[in-house]
Amino acid sequence: MNQTLVDSMWTYLKAGLAMDIDALDRLYDPEFENVRVDQAGQTITLTKDQFMARFRELREQGQRIGESVDDVTFPATTDLGDQAAIVMRRVKDGEPVLYTFIWRVQDGRPTTILREVTFDRDISYLLRLTR
């Protein structure tokens, strides 16, 4: 287990809970993409700009993206040279949700999140939001 990668994920998750837009903007790579897939096989790819716009919108409305990260576990990490991957598991509405984050690595340390691949129960709501 790559503890530096796990620590970087905790930094990211805490920034998200705090709705720290500046920190999130620094953590997401300029080339960041979030690929979401659901059980029906629906997919969507969101860019950094789309992600950051949604965070800003939620913050302006006084909303948050979550209340806790107590259910988060990191079952696996793998190093890929100048990138590293970490699998995150959490429970959303009683269902397990799996995420794989790909981080850029420089001098052995994670720097920015390049990709997030999410397997979710249903992303229909997200597809409707982006139409």
Side-chain angles (χ1 to χ4, degrees):
M1 188 68 79
N2 179 332
Q3 190 58 48
T4 304
L5 191 55
V6 171
D7 294 345
S8 295
M9 281 299 300
W10 284 119
T11 298
Y12 163 70
L13 292 171
K14 288 175 185 175
L17 280 180
M19 295 300 284
D20 185 339
I21 301 300
D22 293 334
L24 291 169
D25 191 48
R26 284 189 305 272
L27 288 167
Y28 286 121
D29 194 89
E31 296 178 30
F32 171 81
E33 290 183 341
N34 174 230
V35 180
R36 292 185 178 236
V37 180
D38 69 11
Q39 291 181 4
Q42 299 180 101
T43 63
I44 188 169
T45 300
L46 303 170
T47 65
K48 177 182 179 176
D49 289 343
Q50 290 170 305
F51 246 57
M52 293 307 300
R54 181 70 177 141
F55 284 132
R56 285 184 185 94
E57 179 182 318
L58 289 171
R59 189 179 70 178
E60 288 170 9
Q61 296 171 357
Q63 296 181 35
R64 300 169 54 103
I65 57 170
E67 297 300 319
S68 171
V69 291
D70 293 343
D71 63 333
V72 169
T73 59
F74 300 107
T77 63
T78 187
D79 296 321
L80 308 164
D82 64 351
Q83 299 177 1
I86 184 167
V87 177
M88 182 178 85
R89 181 188 185 273
R90 67 184 318 174
V91 177
K92 182 177 167 185
D93 301 324
E95 297 278 336
V97 181
L98 298 173
Y99 308 78
T100 300
F101 290 85
I102 309 296
W103 285 74
R104 285 196 194 273
V105 175
Q106 191 171 36
D107 298 323
R109 301 197 54 82
T111 57
T112 56
I113 302 169
L114 184 59
R115 296 286 184 276
E116 175 186 341
V117 181
T118 307
F119 181 74
D120 210 338
R121 180 181 178 97
D122 182 15
I123 61 168
S124 297
Y125 74 95
L126 193 52
L127 292 168
R128 284 191 299 275
L129 281 175
T130 57
R131 287 187 185 140

